Amino acid sequence: MSNNREKLFTEFTAPTKQEWLDKIEVDLKGADFQKRLVWRTNEGFNVQPFYRREDLKDLKTPDALPGEFPFVRGNKKDSNEWYVRQNVVVGGDPVAANKKALDLLMKGVDSIGFKLGHDEVSADYIDALLKDIRLDIVEVSYRACLRHALELADLLVAYFEKMGYDKEKIVGGVGFDPIERMLMKGKDSSFLLPDMPKLVEKLKDYPNLRCVMVHSDLLNNSGAYIVQELGYALAWGNEYLQQMVDAGVDVDLAAKKIKFYMGISENYFMEIAKFRAARLLWAQIVKQYEPKCDCACKMVINASTSTYNQTVFDSYVNLLRSQTEAMSAALGGVHSLVVTPFDAPYEKPTDFSERIARNQQLLIKEESHFDRIVDPSAGSYYIEHLTDALAQEAWKLFLKVEDEGGFLAAVKAGTVQADINATNVKRHGDAAKRKEFILGTNQFPNFTEKSEGKEPLVSSECVATHAGDPDVPALKASRLASDFETLRLTTEKAAKVPVAFMLTIGNLAMRQARAQFSCNFLACAGYKVIDNLGFKTVEEGVDAALEAKADIVVICSSDDEYAEYAIPAFQYLNNRAMYVVAGAPACMEDLKAAGIENYIHVKCNVLETLKEYNQKLGI
């Protein structure tokens, strides 16, 4: 058997990269290789259609080891374990929040994030909130009003000491992130930054309790591209680290108190690479401060699946989005993970949706065993390339921010907000043209779905409102699907939902393809679409459309046949319904000259076209 195997491999010579390229050129039959097969990412670099070992010869990442500097392959050596986290809004009832937390801990969760209210910090409150929760075996994080962070730290330390906990076994965080508030609400919170060293001092004896947070998930949920989130997160973290060191905090202690909260977009492999690149770059940044131990260079990340790409319509597709996002984060080696429930865009998550969100993590952990292999993507030529490319582009952005005075100065000047807001506008424009797909919303919508009272929640949008004039520019973002959802809800609330009728005639393949395209196109606005097998004459098709009480008649045929069918159908319809031609035929100018003004095709701005149709229909 061994000899046969050796003979098999020696009979074949490995083709060179040039031989692969030559073969591809032949298969492309003269088409441009760069345009057809090379992907220009939003992150600013190209991705080739294939990679080989020699493409990685100059990269250092494949030589890294798990648990060792620069931690590109993860912070652990022996497993890929992460905390399954669920956040709990405490409100004014710590007893109810405690009851819910205990219930969650019985259902597979081992990390709780408590969001406290503005004035809910007292010893009795903490006692009630943490009753019967074993803080030495469960990770618990706390977020309160920034003004109460020091008071909260004192109360927690007192509680830990009262309960006799081993300080090294307390894992979690006390949230303090003034810059996040500036980005969200436009209110200058930099006056709170002097509290940061004081907070670190209060918690210095708890090595696994972090208290300085970088919430770059806010950028992700505002539409940022991956490089933007990564580059700004590094600058954000460095701002806090520099301020603490300047205030006299030991660099090892300061670095170990910082925790990153990052979002996860739908770009599966790119997100795996993002978390690897993030650890690599953060380790290099901290190293420049000359810490005594490389362990201070570890980047601890809590990842949350994105809300930016979640949808109100066809909301179960949100499960597919968050599942691949959770897989990216797990394979990328995060510390803890939050899966956003699928119904978050339109309601307070139900017990059912929260259960599904938990189980999405438990599935990849307990059944797919993602927690057992450290950095399973290591050595993949593709992912190693993505890791390096993302690191290079994010580093450029990091250096740009530093050259302009640091992250706080950039936020006060509004350059960060302007950059993210511009990306958000671009992405909404791309979604309107279907350059960026939103499955179930701007592509392949559910034809028969109704909102059934579902309305987008204001809290599901990325930006909180605040009374008064802003001190600094704020992020202005909404979910990617929001424009189409507004359009569809407007249509649904109309006195009559428009009926779009496909007048299919002529070439079988072309009429079916264009009818399917047109149905998907018009259903994005919530129109009722009626497809047909085909008509022998345009008169027969128009009569059938009028019998169906159609508000829109879409003629679907081949480009060549439009010259024969389009104008007679338009004239026979005689303005009794809106007339639309599916496609952009060569004879379009002749059709326009005959008075036909509506065309739908792949180059259309879908959103603007449908808004125009609604206006014409009186909606």
mmCIF file of all heavy atoms in Angstrom, residues 11-46:
data_model
loop_
_atom_site.group_PDB
_atom_site.id
_atom_site.type_symbol
_atom_site.label_atom_id
_atom_site.label_comp_id
_atom_site.label_asym_id
_atom_site.label_seq_id
_atom_site.Cartn_x
_atom_site.Cartn_y
_atom_site.Cartn_z
ATOM 1 N N GLU A 11 3.956 10.134 -9.941
ATOM 2 C CA GLU A 11 3.532 10.136 -11.330
ATOM 3 C C GLU A 11 3.001 11.495 -11.779
ATOM 4 O O GLU A 11 2.837 11.747 -12.960
ATOM 5 C CB GLU A 11 2.445 9.080 -11.560
ATOM 6 C CG GLU A 11 2.992 7.658 -11.592
ATOM 7 C CD GLU A 11 1.901 6.641 -11.874
ATOM 8 O OE1 GLU A 11 0.715 7.048 -11.878
ATOM 9 O OE2 GLU A 11 2.222 5.471 -12.081
ATOM 10 N N PHE A 12 2.684 12.365 -10.810
ATOM 11 C CA PHE A 12 2.106 13.665 -11.140
ATOM 12 C C PHE A 12 3.068 14.774 -10.735
ATOM 13 O O PHE A 12 3.634 14.753 -9.637
ATOM 14 C CB PHE A 12 0.771 13.868 -10.413
ATOM 15 C CG PHE A 12 -0.284 12.895 -10.828
ATOM 16 C CD1 PHE A 12 -0.507 11.730 -10.106
ATOM 17 C CD2 PHE A 12 -1.069 13.132 -11.956
ATOM 18 C CE1 PHE A 12 -1.479 10.828 -10.492
ATOM 19 C CE2 PHE A 12 -2.049 12.234 -12.346
ATOM 20 C CZ PHE A 12 -2.255 11.080 -11.622
ATOM 21 N N THR A 13 3.227 15.730 -11.596
ATOM 22 C CA THR A 13 4.029 16.902 -11.257
ATOM 23 C C THR A 13 3.088 18.049 -10.895
ATOM 24 O O THR A 13 2.059 18.252 -11.552
ATOM 25 C CB THR A 13 4.904 17.331 -12.447
ATOM 26 O OG1 THR A 13 4.061 17.588 -13.574
ATOM 27 C CG2 THR A 13 5.914 16.248 -12.785
ATOM 28 N N ALA A 14 3.429 18.766 -9.847
ATOM 29 C CA ALA A 14 2.581 19.871 -9.407
ATOM 30 C C ALA A 14 2.667 21.014 -10.407
ATOM 31 O O ALA A 14 3.765 21.451 -10.758
ATOM 32 C CB ALA A 14 3.034 20.347 -8.026
ATOM 33 N N PRO A 15 1.531 21.473 -10.896
ATOM 34 C CA PRO A 15 1.565 22.591 -11.849
ATOM 35 C C PRO A 15 2.049 23.866 -11.162
ATOM 36 O O PRO A 15 1.780 24.089 -9.979
ATOM 37 C CB PRO A 15 0.109 22.728 -12.301
ATOM 38 C CG PRO A 15 -0.692 22.132 -11.193
ATOM 39 C CD PRO A 15 0.148 21.033 -10.617
ATOM 40 N N THR A 16 2.732 24.692 -11.894
ATOM 41 C CA THR A 16 3.191 25.964 -11.354
ATOM 42 C C THR A 16 2.048 26.966 -11.360
ATOM 43 O O THR A 16 1.001 26.750 -11.991
ATOM 44 C CB THR A 16 4.343 26.520 -12.201
ATOM 45 O OG1 THR A 16 3.832 26.831 -13.517
ATOM 46 C CG2 THR A 16 5.485 25.514 -12.314
ATOM 47 N N LYS A 17 2.260 28.081 -10.683
ATOM 48 C CA LYS A 17 1.243 29.128 -10.662
ATOM 49 C C LYS A 17 0.991 29.657 -12.067
ATOM 50 O O LYS A 17 -0.163 29.919 -12.445
ATOM 51 C CB LYS A 17 1.686 30.264 -9.739
ATOM 52 C CG LYS A 17 0.647 31.365 -9.581
ATOM 53 C CD LYS A 17 1.057 32.370 -8.528
ATOM 54 C CE LYS A 17 -0.040 33.410 -8.316
ATOM 55 N NZ LYS A 17 0.299 34.367 -7.236
ATOM 56 N N GLN A 18 2.042 29.789 -12.847
ATOM 57 C CA GLN A 18 1.884 30.299 -14.199
ATOM 58 C C GLN A 18 1.072 29.344 -15.062
ATOM 59 O O GLN A 18 0.277 29.769 -15.906
ATOM 60 C CB GLN A 18 3.257 30.549 -14.838
ATOM 61 C CG GLN A 18 3.187 31.271 -16.180
ATOM 62 C CD GLN A 18 2.475 32.610 -16.068
ATOM 63 O OE1 GLN A 18 2.802 33.423 -15.211
ATOM 64 N NE2 GLN A 18 1.480 32.839 -16.928
ATOM 65 N N GLU A 19 1.257 28.047 -14.849
ATOM 66 C CA GLU A 19 0.471 27.067 -15.596
ATOM 67 C C GLU A 19 -1.018 27.188 -15.250
ATOM 68 O O GLU A 19 -1.881 27.051 -16.123
ATOM 69 C CB GLU A 19 0.984 25.659 -15.309
ATOM 70 C CG GLU A 19 2.336 25.362 -15.974
ATOM 71 C CD GLU A 19 2.888 24.006 -15.577
ATOM 72 O OE1 GLU A 19 2.704 23.599 -14.405
ATOM 73 O OE2 GLU A 19 3.508 23.354 -16.436
ATOM 74 N N TRP A 20 -1.316 27.431 -13.974
ATOM 75 C CA TRP A 20 -2.709 27.656 -13.581
ATOM 76 C C TRP A 20 -3.257 28.903 -14.276
ATOM 77 O O TRP A 20 -4.372 28.902 -14.804
ATOM 78 C CB TRP A 20 -2.814 27.840 -12.066
ATOM 79 C CG TRP A 20 -2.878 26.550 -11.291
ATOM 80 C CD1 TRP A 20 -1.934 26.037 -10.464
ATOM 81 C CD2 TRP A 20 -3.972 25.624 -11.277
ATOM 82 N NE1 TRP A 20 -2.346 24.847 -9.927
ATOM 83 C CE2 TRP A 20 -3.605 24.570 -10.411
ATOM 84 C CE3 TRP A 20 -5.223 25.574 -11.904
ATOM 85 C CZ2 TRP A 20 -4.436 23.481 -10.151
ATOM 86 C CZ3 TRP A 20 -6.060 24.493 -11.651
ATOM 87 C CH2 TRP A 20 -5.654 23.463 -10.782
ATOM 88 N N LEU A 21 -2.475 29.970 -14.263
ATOM 89 C CA LEU A 21 -2.913 31.217 -14.889
ATOM 90 C C LEU A 21 -3.135 31.043 -16.389
ATOM 91 O O LEU A 21 -4.094 31.573 -16.961
ATOM 92 C CB LEU A 21 -1.894 32.325 -14.626
ATOM 93 C CG LEU A 21 -1.797 32.818 -13.177
ATOM 94 C CD1 LEU A 21 -0.612 33.759 -13.006
ATOM 95 C CD2 LEU A 21 -3.087 33.504 -12.758
ATOM 96 N N ASP A 22 -2.234 30.293 -17.030
ATOM 97 C CA ASP A 22 -2.383 30.048 -18.461
ATOM 98 C C ASP A 22 -3.672 29.290 -18.754
ATOM 99 O O ASP A 22 -4.377 29.590 -19.730
ATOM 100 C CB ASP A 22 -1.180 29.269 -18.994
ATOM 101 C CG ASP A 22 0.108 30.093 -18.977
ATOM 102 O OD1 ASP A 22 0.014 31.335 -18.891
ATOM 103 O OD2 ASP A 22 1.194 29.490 -19.029
ATOM 104 N N LYS A 23 -3.973 28.306 -17.929
ATOM 105 C CA LYS A 23 -5.198 27.530 -18.107
ATOM 106 C C LYS A 23 -6.433 28.408 -17.899
ATOM 107 O O LYS A 23 -7.422 28.314 -18.650
ATOM 108 C CB LYS A 23 -5.206 26.348 -17.123
ATOM 109 C CG LYS A 23 -6.491 25.535 -17.119
ATOM 110 C CD LYS A 23 -6.806 24.922 -18.472
ATOM 111 C CE LYS A 23 -8.048 24.047 -18.397
ATOM 112 N NZ LYS A 23 -8.506 23.614 -19.745
ATOM 113 N N ILE A 24 -6.373 29.286 -16.890
ATOM 114 C CA ILE A 24 -7.501 30.185 -16.636
ATOM 115 C C ILE A 24 -7.725 31.114 -17.821
ATOM 116 O O ILE A 24 -8.865 31.361 -18.238
ATOM 117 C CB ILE A 24 -7.248 30.993 -15.343
ATOM 118 C CG1 ILE A 24 -7.318 30.070 -14.118
ATOM 119 C CG2 ILE A 24 -8.254 32.121 -15.195
ATOM 120 C CD1 ILE A 24 -6.890 30.726 -12.824
ATOM 121 N N GLU A 25 -6.637 31.627 -18.387
ATOM 122 C CA GLU A 25 -6.752 32.522 -19.538
ATOM 123 C C GLU A 25 -7.453 31.825 -20.709
ATOM 124 O O GLU A 25 -8.276 32.412 -21.409
ATOM 125 C CB GLU A 25 -5.363 33.001 -19.977
ATOM 126 C CG GLU A 25 -4.669 33.932 -18.993
ATOM 127 C CD GLU A 25 -5.287 35.326 -18.969
ATOM 128 O OE1 GLU A 25 -6.133 35.615 -19.823
ATOM 129 O OE2 GLU A 25 -4.919 36.120 -18.082
ATOM 130 N N VAL A 26 -7.128 30.547 -20.906
ATOM 131 C CA VAL A 26 -7.776 29.782 -21.973
ATOM 132 C C VAL A 26 -9.265 29.639 -21.692
ATOM 133 O O VAL A 26 -10.114 29.852 -22.565
ATOM 134 C CB VAL A 26 -7.122 28.391 -22.113
ATOM 135 C CG1 VAL A 26 -7.925 27.516 -23.072
ATOM 136 C CG2 VAL A 26 -5.685 28.525 -22.603
ATOM 137 N N ASP A 27 -9.607 29.291 -20.453
ATOM 138 C CA ASP A 27 -11.009 29.089 -20.089
ATOM 139 C C ASP A 27 -11.813 30.386 -20.148
ATOM 140 O O ASP A 27 -13.034 30.361 -20.397
ATOM 141 C CB ASP A 27 -11.108 28.492 -18.690
ATOM 142 C CG ASP A 27 -10.614 27.052 -18.644
ATOM 143 O OD1 ASP A 27 -10.489 26.440 -19.718
ATOM 144 O OD2 ASP A 27 -10.340 26.542 -17.535
ATOM 145 N N LEU A 28 -11.164 31.517 -19.916
ATOM 146 C CA LEU A 28 -11.868 32.794 -19.968
ATOM 147 C C LEU A 28 -12.184 33.228 -21.393
ATOM 148 O O LEU A 28 -12.994 34.143 -21.598
ATOM 149 C CB LEU A 28 -11.039 33.884 -19.274
ATOM 150 C CG LEU A 28 -10.990 33.835 -17.747
ATOM 151 C CD1 LEU A 28 -10.054 34.901 -17.203
ATOM 152 C CD2 LEU A 28 -12.388 34.031 -17.161
ATOM 153 N N LYS A 29 -11.528 32.609 -22.372
ATOM 154 C CA LYS A 29 -11.787 32.883 -23.788
ATOM 155 C C LYS A 29 -11.669 34.371 -24.128
ATOM 156 O O LYS A 29 -12.536 34.964 -24.774
ATOM 157 C CB LYS A 29 -13.171 32.370 -24.179
ATOM 158 C CG LYS A 29 -13.317 30.870 -24.019
ATOM 159 C CD LYS A 29 -14.722 30.392 -24.368
ATOM 160 C CE LYS A 29 -14.839 28.885 -24.176
ATOM 161 N NZ LYS A 29 -16.217 28.401 -24.478
ATOM 162 N N GLY A 30 -10.609 34.979 -23.614
ATOM 163 C CA GLY A 30 -10.339 36.375 -23.950
ATOM 164 C C GLY A 30 -10.898 37.394 -22.982
ATOM 165 O O GLY A 30 -10.599 38.582 -23.087
ATOM 166 N N ALA A 31 -11.719 36.952 -22.024
ATOM 167 C CA ALA A 31 -12.263 37.892 -21.042
ATOM 168 C C ALA A 31 -11.148 38.386 -20.126
ATOM 169 O O ALA A 31 -10.151 37.690 -19.899
ATOM 170 C CB ALA A 31 -13.361 37.223 -20.218
ATOM 171 N N ASP A 32 -11.326 39.584 -19.568
ATOM 172 C CA ASP A 32 -10.315 40.201 -18.722
ATOM 173 C C ASP A 32 -10.232 39.482 -17.377
ATOM 174 O O ASP A 32 -11.206 39.431 -16.622
ATOM 175 C CB ASP A 32 -10.648 41.682 -18.505
ATOM 176 C CG ASP A 32 -9.522 42.439 -17.832
ATOM 177 O OD1 ASP A 32 -9.113 42.040 -16.731
ATOM 178 O OD2 ASP A 32 -9.042 43.436 -18.399
ATOM 179 N N PHE A 33 -9.062 38.927 -17.076
ATOM 180 C CA PHE A 33 -8.854 38.187 -15.828
ATOM 181 C C PHE A 33 -9.130 39.066 -14.618
ATOM 182 O O PHE A 33 -9.798 38.659 -13.665
ATOM 183 C CB PHE A 33 -7.411 37.658 -15.786
ATOM 184 C CG PHE A 33 -7.025 36.994 -14.491
ATOM 185 C CD1 PHE A 33 -7.328 35.669 -14.259
ATOM 186 C CD2 PHE A 33 -6.347 37.701 -13.510
ATOM 187 C CE1 PHE A 33 -6.973 35.056 -13.066
ATOM 188 C CE2 PHE A 33 -5.988 37.100 -12.319
ATOM 189 C CZ PHE A 33 -6.299 35.770 -12.093
ATOM 190 N N GLN A 34 -8.597 40.298 -14.637
ATOM 191 C CA GLN A 34 -8.736 41.192 -13.490
ATOM 192 C C GLN A 34 -10.202 41.534 -13.230
ATOM 193 O O GLN A 34 -10.643 41.582 -12.075
ATOM 194 C CB GLN A 34 -7.940 42.477 -13.723
ATOM 195 C CG GLN A 34 -6.425 42.283 -13.755
ATOM 196 C CD GLN A 34 -5.862 41.904 -12.394
ATOM 197 O OE1 GLN A 34 -6.399 42.285 -11.358
ATOM 198 N NE2 GLN A 34 -4.788 41.130 -12.398
ATOM 199 N N LYS A 35 -10.971 41.751 -14.284
ATOM 200 C CA LYS A 35 -12.370 42.140 -14.114
ATOM 201 C C LYS A 35 -13.264 40.960 -13.759
ATOM 202 O O LYS A 35 -14.231 41.101 -13.010
ATOM 203 C CB LYS A 35 -12.886 42.811 -15.389
ATOM 204 C CG LYS A 35 -12.270 44.184 -15.647
ATOM 205 C CD LYS A 35 -12.871 44.826 -16.889
ATOM 206 C CE LYS A 35 -12.294 46.219 -17.126
ATOM 207 N NZ LYS A 35 -12.858 46.859 -18.349
ATOM 208 N N ARG A 36 -12.951 39.802 -14.304
ATOM 209 C CA ARG A 36 -13.832 38.645 -14.108
ATOM 210 C C ARG A 36 -13.566 37.878 -12.821
ATOM 211 O O ARG A 36 -14.505 37.373 -12.196
ATOM 212 C CB ARG A 36 -13.691 37.690 -15.300
ATOM 213 C CG ARG A 36 -14.246 38.221 -16.606
ATOM 214 C CD ARG A 36 -15.764 38.352 -16.577
ATOM 215 N NE ARG A 36 -16.414 37.077 -16.362
ATOM 216 C CZ ARG A 36 -16.721 36.220 -17.325
ATOM 217 N NH1 ARG A 36 -16.437 36.525 -18.589
ATOM 218 N NH2 ARG A 36 -17.325 35.093 -17.062
ATOM 219 N N LEU A 37 -12.318 37.787 -12.408
ATOM 220 C CA LEU A 37 -11.994 36.865 -11.310
ATOM 221 C C LEU A 37 -11.343 37.512 -10.094
ATOM 222 O O LEU A 37 -11.310 36.900 -9.031
ATOM 223 C CB LEU A 37 -11.078 35.749 -11.826
ATOM 224 C CG LEU A 37 -11.682 34.812 -12.876
ATOM 225 C CD1 LEU A 37 -10.671 33.748 -13.266
ATOM 226 C CD2 LEU A 37 -12.949 34.157 -12.348
ATOM 227 N N VAL A 38 -10.817 38.713 -10.232
ATOM 228 C CA VAL A 38 -10.159 39.359 -9.087
ATOM 229 C C VAL A 38 -11.178 40.236 -8.370
ATOM 230 O O VAL A 38 -11.823 41.087 -8.978
ATOM 231 C CB VAL A 38 -8.944 40.197 -9.537
ATOM 232 C CG1 VAL A 38 -8.337 40.935 -8.351
ATOM 233 C CG2 VAL A 38 -7.905 39.290 -10.185
ATOM 234 N N TRP A 39 -11.324 40.013 -7.074
ATOM 235 C CA TRP A 39 -12.309 40.723 -6.255
ATOM 236 C C TRP A 39 -11.653 41.929 -5.586
ATOM 237 O O TRP A 39 -10.705 41.786 -4.822
ATOM 238 C CB TRP A 39 -12.872 39.766 -5.213
ATOM 239 C CG TRP A 39 -13.720 40.398 -4.153
ATOM 240 C CD1 TRP A 39 -14.539 41.478 -4.286
ATOM 241 C CD2 TRP A 39 -13.836 39.966 -2.790
ATOM 242 N NE1 TRP A 39 -15.166 41.757 -3.091
ATOM 243 C CE2 TRP A 39 -14.751 40.847 -2.161
ATOM 244 C CE3 TRP A 39 -13.274 38.929 -2.056
ATOM 245 C CZ2 TRP A 39 -15.091 40.709 -0.812
ATOM 246 C CZ3 TRP A 39 -13.619 38.799 -0.721
ATOM 247 C CH2 TRP A 39 -14.524 39.668 -0.103
ATOM 248 N N ARG A 40 -12.159 43.117 -5.899
ATOM 249 C CA ARG A 40 -11.711 44.334 -5.236
ATOM 250 C C ARG A 40 -12.598 44.558 -4.022
ATOM 251 O O ARG A 40 -13.782 44.865 -4.145
ATOM 252 C CB ARG A 40 -11.792 45.534 -6.182
ATOM 253 C CG ARG A 40 -11.324 46.857 -5.563
ATOM 254 C CD ARG A 40 -9.835 46.819 -5.240
ATOM 255 N NE ARG A 40 -9.378 48.091 -4.678
ATOM 256 C CZ ARG A 40 -8.138 48.312 -4.265
ATOM 257 N NH1 ARG A 40 -7.231 47.339 -4.358
ATOM 258 N NH2 ARG A 40 -7.781 49.472 -3.781
ATOM 259 N N THR A 41 -12.056 44.381 -2.847
ATOM 260 C CA THR A 41 -12.848 44.440 -1.624
ATOM 261 C C THR A 41 -13.139 45.882 -1.225
ATOM 262 O O THR A 41 -12.460 46.816 -1.638
ATOM 263 C CB THR A 41 -12.117 43.746 -0.464
ATOM 264 O OG1 THR A 41 -10.972 44.541 -0.099
ATOM 265 C CG2 THR A 41 -11.661 42.353 -0.861
ATOM 266 N N ASN A 42 -14.141 46.034 -0.369
ATOM 267 C CA ASN A 42 -14.423 47.347 0.218
ATOM 268 C C ASN A 42 -13.319 47.769 1.178
ATOM 269 O O ASN A 42 -13.247 48.930 1.576
ATOM 270 C CB ASN A 42 -15.754 47.303 0.975
ATOM 271 C CG ASN A 42 -16.933 47.117 0.040
ATOM 272 O OD1 ASN A 42 -16.986 47.711 -1.025
ATOM 273 N ND2 ASN A 42 -17.886 46.286 0.429
ATOM 274 N N GLU A 43 -12.488 46.812 1.549
ATOM 275 C CA GLU A 43 -11.426 47.072 2.509
ATOM 276 C C GLU A 43 -10.178 47.673 1.868
ATOM 277 O O GLU A 43 -9.208 47.981 2.558
ATOM 278 C CB GLU A 43 -11.030 45.769 3.211
ATOM 279 C CG GLU A 43 -11.920 45.276 4.313
ATOM 280 C CD GLU A 43 -13.411 45.490 4.136
ATOM 281 O OE1 GLU A 43 -14.042 44.874 3.277
ATOM 282 O OE2 GLU A 43 -13.947 46.287 4.903
ATOM 283 N N GLY A 44 -10.161 47.792 0.534
ATOM 284 C CA GLY A 44 -9.073 48.490 -0.120
ATOM 285 C C GLY A 44 -7.977 47.612 -0.692
ATOM 286 O O GLY A 44 -6.900 48.105 -1.022
ATOM 287 N N PHE A 45 -8.220 46.310 -0.821
ATOM 288 C CA PHE A 45 -7.215 45.433 -1.416
ATOM 289 C C PHE A 45 -7.900 44.410 -2.313
ATOM 290 O O PHE A 45 -9.113 44.203 -2.234
ATOM 291 C CB PHE A 45 -6.369 44.727 -0.342
ATOM 292 C CG PHE A 45 -7.169 43.910 0.643
ATOM 293 C CD1 PHE A 45 -7.489 42.582 0.384
ATOM 294 C CD2 PHE A 45 -7.598 44.454 1.839
ATOM 295 C CE1 PHE A 45 -8.218 41.820 1.281
ATOM 296 C CE2 PHE A 45 -8.325 43.706 2.756
ATOM 297 C CZ PHE A 45 -8.633 42.385 2.475
ATOM 298 N N ASN A 46 -7.106 43.783 -3.161
ATOM 299 C CA ASN A 46 -7.626 42.792 -4.103
ATOM 300 C C ASN A 46 -7.511 41.385 -3.526
ATOM 301 O O ASN A 46 -6.566 41.080 -2.786
ATOM 302 C CB ASN A 46 -6.852 42.842 -5.424
ATOM 303 C CG ASN A 46 -7.139 44.109 -6.205
ATOM 304 O OD1 ASN A 46 -8.155 44.772 -5.997
ATOM 305 N ND2 ASN A 46 -6.240 44.459 -7.106
#
